[in-house]
Every structure is written in C-alpha cells, then in structure tokens.
Amino acid sequence: MPGTDPLGQWQFAERWSSLSYIGAVVALAFVMRVASAFLKATQLSSTFRVWSKRFRYAFRETFCSSSDPRVSDYFHGFFVGLLQLLVFPVLIATGTQAYIGAWLGFKGVAQWKRWAEDRTSFNRFLILNALVLLFSYWLSARSIVVGVRFPIPA
C-alpha cells in the first residue's frame, strides 16, 4: 500500500523468536570474526603455509584484537558486522535493500584512499561484506515473514 511503512510489516517466522534470532546473529558474527582473522593472518604472516607458527600467532593476535596497532581493531569490525547482521535481513525481507547499498557505499568511500595503496585490505572488505550479505539473505529467508498487519492500539 502506498504511504505505509514497510519496516513495520514483518515478524519472526514460526519457530523463531527474538532470542533465537539474536543467537543466530551472534553465532554468524563469530564466524565472520574467524574469517576476518584468517584473512588478515594470511596477509600478516606472508606465507600460504596456513598452520605455520607465524600464521597461528598472527591469527591469535588478530582474532583477540591484541594491542599491536598493525593487528588491533578493538572489535569495532565485529560490532559493525553484528549490527549489519541484525538489520540487513529485515531490510532484505521488506524490500528496502537500497539502504544496504547506501551503507556499503559509505563504508567504501571511507576507505577509498587506503585501498589505492593496499589491495589486500580491499579484497578482505569485499569477501567479508559478501559473507555478511549471504548470511543476511539466509537469515531473511529463514526467520522473517513480511506482510503482517499488526493491530493498531486504540
């Protein structure tokens, strides 16, 4: 209907509660953290021998967000990914994906200059955002029902 708010017309599917949705989002954000640490450790260890001692050290330092400024992100990326995984499935289910595109555009513009010098971080950005979008589409298809009319309180 014209003039209605599409974000107000959704609910969780059967067998999904807000707690199970949040649990799934946290689990997927953890998977994203592992993927991010793996990709960054591969870059930092400068070797493709994945389970070498140098790689394991870089992975642990990256995953745990150590105090080393080359490695530490203070979990900012984890929390941004967590928020994206909370919001993107709802935006996808309600047909308002343009907000996702705008958000990814803002994220891209913020790092544009750095990516001209460091292509590896750009590729990591692409891979991780592709994973967020895949997980979001999966969550959207599994957990969200659209077109629900909520009663208007009198």
Side-chain angles (χ1 to χ4, degrees):
M1 282 188 288
T4 61
D5 178 19
L7 293 178
Q9 300 177 5
W10 68 275
Q11 71 179 19
F12 292 113
E14 277 186 48
R15 294 180 279 155
W16 280 85
S17 66
S18 57
L19 187 60
S20 62
Y21 180 77
I22 291 171
V25 165
V26 169
L28 290 172
F30 179 78
V31 169
M32 295 295 302
R33 182 69 180 182
V34 170
S36 174
F38 179 83
L39 293 171
K40 188 147 190 179
T42 302
Q43 176 188 2
L44 292 174
S45 66
S46 301
T47 181
F48 289 105
R49 291 186 358 210
V50 174
W51 299 115
S52 68
K53 185 175 183 179
R54 188 174 183 184
F55 175 84
R56 287 191 310 260
Y57 174 78
F59 179 85
R60 184 179 61 245
E61 292 296 304
T62 302
F63 183 80
C64 297
S65 193
S66 77
S67 58
D68 184 350
R70 294 176 307 133
V71 182
S72 184
D73 65 355
Y74 306 106
F75 290 99
H76 294 156
F78 174 79
F79 291 114
V80 169
L82 184 74
L83 290 173
Q84 288 176 167
L85 286 169
L86 280 170
V87 175
F88 283 7
V90 175
L91 294 174
I92 291 167
T94 57
T96 53
Q97 297 94 335
Y99 295 113
I100 296 172
W103 172 249
L104 293 176
F106 285 132
K107 283 176 57 177
V109 167
Q111 294 293 324
W112 188 262
K113 188 168 184 120
R114 179 177 177 209
W115 291 338
E117 301 160 4
D118 182 13
R119 202 69 179 156
T120 307
S121 62
F122 175 68
N123 291 333
R124 193 170 52 245
F125 170 84
L126 291 177
I127 291 167
L128 294 174
N129 277 292
L131 284 176
V132 167
L133 291 173
L134 286 172
F135 289 155
S136 296
Y137 273 100
W138 179 81
L139 272 174
S140 174
R142 296 284 218 164
S143 64
I144 296 175
V145 178
V146 182
V148 179
R149 299 209 186 275
F150 294 105
I152 299 172

